[in-house]
mmCIF file with all atom_site columns, all heavy atoms in Angstrom:
data_model
loop_
_atom_site.group_PDB
_atom_site.id
_atom_site.type_symbol
_atom_site.label_atom_id
_atom_site.label_alt_id
_atom_site.label_comp_id
_atom_site.label_asym_id
_atom_site.label_entity_id
_atom_site.label_seq_id
_atom_site.pdbx_PDB_ins_code
_atom_site.Cartn_x
_atom_site.Cartn_y
_atom_site.Cartn_z
_atom_site.occupancy
_atom_site.B_iso_or_equiv
_atom_site.pdbx_formal_charge
_atom_site.auth_seq_id
_atom_site.auth_comp_id
_atom_site.auth_asym_id
_atom_site.auth_atom_id
_atom_site.pdbx_PDB_model_num
ATOM 1   N N   . ALA Y 1 81 ? -11.993 -13.577 -10.830 1.00 98.00 ? 81 ALA Y N   1
ATOM 2   C CA  . ALA Y 1 81 ? -11.891 -14.039 -9.453  1.00 98.00 ? 81 ALA Y CA  1
ATOM 3   C C   . ALA Y 1 81 ? -13.194 -13.803 -8.702  1.00 98.00 ? 81 ALA Y C   1
ATOM 4   O O   . ALA Y 1 81 ? -13.987 -12.920 -9.050  1.00 98.00 ? 81 ALA Y O   1
ATOM 5   C CB  . ALA Y 1 81 ? -10.746 -13.332 -8.740  1.00 98.00 ? 81 ALA Y CB  1
ATOM 6   N N   . ARG Y 1 82 ? -13.419 -14.590 -7.682  1.00 98.00 ? 82 ARG Y N   1
ATOM 7   C CA  . ARG Y 1 82 ? -14.510 -14.356 -6.728  1.00 98.00 ? 82 ARG Y CA  1
ATOM 8   C C   . ARG Y 1 82 ? -13.898 -13.575 -5.567  1.00 98.00 ? 82 ARG Y C   1
ATOM 9   O O   . ARG Y 1 82 ? -12.971 -14.075 -4.912  1.00 98.00 ? 82 ARG Y O   1
ATOM 10  C CB  . ARG Y 1 82 ? -15.103 -15.686 -6.272  1.00 98.00 ? 82 ARG Y CB  1
ATOM 11  C CG  . ARG Y 1 82 ? -16.269 -15.582 -5.317  1.00 98.00 ? 82 ARG Y CG  1
ATOM 12  C CD  . ARG Y 1 82 ? -17.040 -16.909 -5.261  1.00 98.00 ? 82 ARG Y CD  1
ATOM 13  N NE  . ARG Y 1 82 ? -16.173 -18.018 -4.935  1.00 98.00 ? 82 ARG Y NE  1
ATOM 14  C CZ  . ARG Y 1 82 ? -16.046 -18.540 -3.712  1.00 98.00 ? 82 ARG Y CZ  1
ATOM 15  N NH1 . ARG Y 1 82 ? -16.729 -18.016 -2.701  1.00 98.00 ? 82 ARG Y NH1 1
ATOM 16  N NH2 . ARG Y 1 82 ? -15.257 -19.575 -3.495  1.00 98.00 ? 82 ARG Y NH2 1
ATOM 17  N N   . VAL Y 1 83 ? -14.381 -12.368 -5.304  1.00 98.00 ? 83 VAL Y N   1
ATOM 18  C CA  . VAL Y 1 83 ? -13.641 -11.428 -4.469  1.00 98.00 ? 83 VAL Y CA  1
ATOM 19  C C   . VAL Y 1 83 ? -14.432 -11.004 -3.235  1.00 98.00 ? 83 VAL Y C   1
ATOM 20  O O   . VAL Y 1 83 ? -15.630 -10.716 -3.306  1.00 98.00 ? 83 VAL Y O   1
ATOM 21  C CB  . VAL Y 1 83 ? -13.251 -10.163 -5.276  1.00 98.00 ? 83 VAL Y CB  1
ATOM 22  C CG1 . VAL Y 1 83 ? -12.380 -9.234  -4.430  1.00 98.00 ? 83 VAL Y CG1 1
ATOM 23  C CG2 . VAL Y 1 83 ? -12.526 -10.553 -6.558  1.00 98.00 ? 83 VAL Y CG2 1
ATOM 24  N N   . THR Y 1 84 ? -13.714 -10.954 -2.122  1.00 98.00 ? 84 THR Y N   1
ATOM 25  C CA  . THR Y 1 84 ? -14.195 -10.339 -0.892  1.00 98.00 ? 84 THR Y CA  1
ATOM 26  C C   . THR Y 1 84 ? -13.240 -9.204  -0.543  1.00 98.00 ? 84 THR Y C   1
ATOM 27  O O   . THR Y 1 84 ? -12.018 -9.386  -0.573  1.00 98.00 ? 84 THR Y O   1
ATOM 28  C CB  . THR Y 1 84 ? -14.243 -11.340 0.267   1.00 98.00 ? 84 THR Y CB  1
ATOM 29  O OG1 . THR Y 1 84 ? -15.147 -12.407 -0.055  1.00 98.00 ? 84 THR Y OG1 1
ATOM 30  C CG2 . THR Y 1 84 ? -14.697 -10.674 1.565   1.00 98.00 ? 84 THR Y CG2 1
ATOM 31  N N   . GLY Y 1 85 ? -13.782 -8.035  -0.239  1.00 98.00 ? 85 GLY Y N   1
ATOM 32  C CA  . GLY Y 1 85 ? -12.962 -6.895  0.152   1.00 98.00 ? 85 GLY Y CA  1
ATOM 33  C C   . GLY Y 1 85 ? -13.201 -6.532  1.603   1.00 98.00 ? 85 GLY Y C   1
ATOM 34  O O   . GLY Y 1 85 ? -14.344 -6.522  2.067   1.00 98.00 ? 85 GLY Y O   1
ATOM 35  N N   . VAL Y 1 86 ? -12.123 -6.246  2.330   1.00 98.00 ? 86 VAL Y N   1
ATOM 36  C CA  . VAL Y 1 86 ? -12.217 -5.901  3.754   1.00 98.00 ? 86 VAL Y CA  1
ATOM 37  C C   . VAL Y 1 86 ? -11.423 -4.633  4.005   1.00 98.00 ? 86 VAL Y C   1
ATOM 38  O O   . VAL Y 1 86 ? -10.293 -4.490  3.520   1.00 98.00 ? 86 VAL Y O   1
ATOM 39  C CB  . VAL Y 1 86 ? -11.668 -7.045  4.637   1.00 98.00 ? 86 VAL Y CB  1
ATOM 40  C CG1 . VAL Y 1 86 ? -11.551 -6.596  6.085   1.00 98.00 ? 86 VAL Y CG1 1
ATOM 41  C CG2 . VAL Y 1 86 ? -12.555 -8.269  4.541   1.00 98.00 ? 86 VAL Y CG2 1
ATOM 42  N N   . ASP Y 1 87 ? -12.009 -3.705  4.767   1.00 97.00 ? 87 ASP Y N   1
ATOM 43  C CA  . ASP Y 1 87 ? -11.282 -2.498  5.169   1.00 97.00 ? 87 ASP Y CA  1
ATOM 44  C C   . ASP Y 1 87 ? -11.814 -2.053  6.522   1.00 97.00 ? 87 ASP Y C   1
ATOM 45  O O   . ASP Y 1 87 ? -12.987 -2.280  6.853   1.00 97.00 ? 87 ASP Y O   1
ATOM 46  C CB  . ASP Y 1 87 ? -11.459 -1.379  4.137   1.00 97.00 ? 87 ASP Y CB  1
ATOM 47  C CG  . ASP Y 1 87 ? -10.376 -0.316  4.259   1.00 97.00 ? 87 ASP Y CG  1
ATOM 48  O OD1 . ASP Y 1 87 ? -10.481 0.540   5.162   1.00 97.00 ? 87 ASP Y OD1 1
ATOM 49  O OD2 . ASP Y 1 87 ? -9.423  -0.343  3.456   1.00 97.00 ? 87 ASP Y OD2 1
ATOM 50  N N   . ALA Y 1 88 ? -10.953 -1.391  7.300   1.00 95.00 ? 88 ALA Y N   1
ATOM 51  C CA  . ALA Y 1 88 ? -11.341 -0.950  8.641   1.00 95.00 ? 88 ALA Y CA  1
ATOM 52  C C   . ALA Y 1 88 ? -12.162 0.332   8.625   1.00 95.00 ? 88 ALA Y C   1
ATOM 53  O O   . ALA Y 1 88 ? -12.786 0.673   9.633   1.00 95.00 ? 88 ALA Y O   1
ATOM 54  C CB  . ALA Y 1 88 ? -10.096 -0.757  9.506   1.00 95.00 ? 88 ALA Y CB  1
ATOM 55  N N   . SER Y 1 89 ? -12.171 1.053   7.509   1.00 93.00 ? 89 SER Y N   1
ATOM 56  C CA  . SER Y 1 89 ? -12.872 2.328   7.426   1.00 93.00 ? 89 SER Y CA  1
ATOM 57  C C   . SER Y 1 89 ? -14.293 2.134   6.895   1.00 93.00 ? 89 SER Y C   1
ATOM 58  O O   . SER Y 1 89 ? -14.486 1.770   5.731   1.00 93.00 ? 89 SER Y O   1
ATOM 59  C CB  . SER Y 1 89 ? -12.102 3.295   6.514   1.00 93.00 ? 89 SER Y CB  1
ATOM 60  O OG  . SER Y 1 89 ? -12.877 4.446   6.239   1.00 93.00 ? 89 SER Y OG  1
ATOM 61  N N   . THR Y 1 90 ? -15.273 2.404   7.729   1.00 94.00 ? 90 THR Y N   1
ATOM 62  C CA  . THR Y 1 90 ? -16.664 2.252   7.304   1.00 94.00 ? 90 THR Y CA  1
ATOM 63  C C   . THR Y 1 90 ? -17.017 3.154   6.126   1.00 94.00 ? 90 THR Y C   1
ATOM 64  O O   . THR Y 1 90 ? -17.637 2.689   5.149   1.00 94.00 ? 90 THR Y O   1
ATOM 65  C CB  . THR Y 1 90 ? -17.614 2.518   8.484   1.00 94.00 ? 90 THR Y CB  1
ATOM 66  O OG1 . THR Y 1 90 ? -17.354 1.560   9.525   1.00 94.00 ? 90 THR Y OG1 1
ATOM 67  C CG2 . THR Y 1 90 ? -19.077 2.416   8.056   1.00 94.00 ? 90 THR Y CG2 1
ATOM 68  N N   . PRO Y 1 91 ? -16.649 4.446   6.129   1.00 94.00 ? 91 PRO Y N   1
ATOM 69  C CA  . PRO Y 1 91 ? -17.020 5.309   4.988   1.00 94.00 ? 91 PRO Y CA  1
ATOM 70  C C   . PRO Y 1 91 ? -16.439 4.839   3.657   1.00 94.00 ? 91 PRO Y C   1
ATOM 71  O O   . PRO Y 1 91 ? -17.114 4.919   2.627   1.00 94.00 ? 91 PRO Y O   1
ATOM 72  C CB  . PRO Y 1 91 ? -16.464 6.679   5.387   1.00 94.00 ? 91 PRO Y CB  1
ATOM 73  C CG  . PRO Y 1 91 ? -16.424 6.655   6.866   1.00 94.00 ? 91 PRO Y CG  1
ATOM 74  C CD  . PRO Y 1 91 ? -16.049 5.241   7.215   1.00 94.00 ? 91 PRO Y CD  1
ATOM 75  N N   . ILE Y 1 92 ? -15.209 4.349   3.647   1.00 95.00 ? 92 ILE Y N   1
ATOM 76  C CA  . ILE Y 1 92 ? -14.631 3.922   2.369   1.00 95.00 ? 92 ILE Y CA  1
ATOM 77  C C   . ILE Y 1 92 ? -15.263 2.615   1.909   1.00 95.00 ? 92 ILE Y C   1
ATOM 78  O O   . ILE Y 1 92 ? -15.462 2.395   0.706   1.00 95.00 ? 92 ILE Y O   1
ATOM 79  C CB  . ILE Y 1 92 ? -13.093 3.807   2.447   1.00 95.00 ? 92 ILE Y CB  1
ATOM 80  C CG1 . ILE Y 1 92 ? -12.480 3.877   1.043   1.00 95.00 ? 92 ILE Y CG1 1
ATOM 81  C CG2 . ILE Y 1 92 ? -12.659 2.558   3.172   1.00 95.00 ? 92 ILE Y CG2 1
ATOM 82  C CD1 . ILE Y 1 92 ? -12.633 5.189   0.352   1.00 95.00 ? 92 ILE Y CD1 1
ATOM 83  N N   . VAL Y 1 93 ? -15.641 1.730   2.843   1.00 96.00 ? 93 VAL Y N   1
ATOM 84  C CA  . VAL Y 1 93 ? -16.342 0.504   2.469   1.00 96.00 ? 93 VAL Y CA  1
ATOM 85  C C   . VAL Y 1 93 ? -17.715 0.838   1.911   1.00 96.00 ? 93 VAL Y C   1
ATOM 86  O O   . VAL Y 1 93 ? -18.180 0.223   0.943   1.00 96.00 ? 93 VAL Y O   1
ATOM 87  C CB  . VAL Y 1 93 ? -16.438 -0.460  3.667   1.00 96.00 ? 93 VAL Y CB  1
ATOM 88  C CG1 . VAL Y 1 93 ? -17.396 -1.613  3.359   1.00 96.00 ? 93 VAL Y CG1 1
ATOM 89  C CG2 . VAL Y 1 93 ? -15.061 -1.008  4.029   1.00 96.00 ? 93 VAL Y CG2 1
ATOM 90  N N   . GLU Y 1 94 ? -18.381 1.830   2.509   1.00 96.00 ? 94 GLU Y N   1
ATOM 91  C CA  . GLU Y 1 94 ? -19.685 2.246   1.986   1.00 96.00 ? 94 GLU Y CA  1
ATOM 92  C C   . GLU Y 1 94 ? -19.560 2.738   0.551   1.00 96.00 ? 94 GLU Y C   1
ATOM 93  O O   . GLU Y 1 94 ? -20.434 2.478   -0.291  1.00 96.00 ? 94 GLU Y O   1
ATOM 94  C CB  . GLU Y 1 94 ? -20.273 3.337   2.876   1.00 96.00 ? 94 GLU Y CB  1
ATOM 95  C CG  . GLU Y 1 94 ? -20.725 2.822   4.241   1.00 96.00 ? 94 GLU Y CG  1
ATOM 96  C CD  . GLU Y 1 94 ? -21.178 3.940   5.167   1.00 96.00 ? 94 GLU Y CD  1
ATOM 97  O OE1 . GLU Y 1 94 ? -20.947 5.121   4.823   1.00 96.00 ? 94 GLU Y OE1 1
ATOM 98  O OE2 . GLU Y 1 94 ? -21.747 3.626   6.227   1.00 96.00 ? 94 GLU Y OE2 1
ATOM 99  N N   . ARG Y 1 95 ? -18.477 3.417   0.243   1.00 96.00 ? 95 ARG Y N   1
ATOM 100 C CA  . ARG Y 1 95 ? -18.264 3.895   -1.128  1.00 96.00 ? 95 ARG Y CA  1
ATOM 101 C C   . ARG Y 1 95 ? -17.957 2.733   -2.070  1.00 96.00 ? 95 ARG Y C   1
ATOM 102 O O   . ARG Y 1 95 ? -18.389 2.728   -3.229  1.00 96.00 ? 95 ARG Y O   1
ATOM 103 C CB  . ARG Y 1 95 ? -17.168 4.951   -1.144  1.00 96.00 ? 95 ARG Y CB  1
ATOM 104 C CG  . ARG Y 1 95 ? -17.621 6.238   -0.491  1.00 96.00 ? 95 ARG Y CG  1
ATOM 105 C CD  . ARG Y 1 95 ? -16.568 7.326   -0.461  1.00 96.00 ? 95 ARG Y CD  1
ATOM 106 N NE  . ARG Y 1 95 ? -17.151 8.549   0.082   1.00 96.00 ? 95 ARG Y NE  1
ATOM 107 C CZ  . ARG Y 1 95 ? -17.840 9.437   -0.614  1.00 96.00 ? 95 ARG Y CZ  1
ATOM 108 N NH1 . ARG Y 1 95 ? -18.017 9.261   -1.915  1.00 96.00 ? 95 ARG Y NH1 1
ATOM 109 N NH2 . ARG Y 1 95 ? -18.348 10.506  -0.039  1.00 96.00 ? 95 ARG Y NH2 1
ATOM 110 N N   . ALA Y 1 96 ? -17.221 1.753   -1.580  1.00 97.00 ? 96 ALA Y N   1
ATOM 111 C CA  . ALA Y 1 96 ? -16.969 0.567   -2.398  1.00 97.00 ? 96 ALA Y CA  1
ATOM 112 C C   . ALA Y 1 96 ? -18.268 -0.174  -2.678  1.00 97.00 ? 96 ALA Y C   1
ATOM 113 O O   . ALA Y 1 96 ? -18.519 -0.637  -3.806  1.00 97.00 ? 96 ALA Y O   1
ATOM 114 C CB  . ALA Y 1 96 ? -15.973 -0.350  -1.676  1.00 97.00 ? 96 ALA Y CB  1
#
Side-chain angles (χ1 to χ4, degrees):
R82 182 163 55 99
V83 185
T84 299
V86 171
D87 200 281
S89 170
T90 299
I92 201 66
V93 169
E94 289 174 349
R95 290 179 175 276

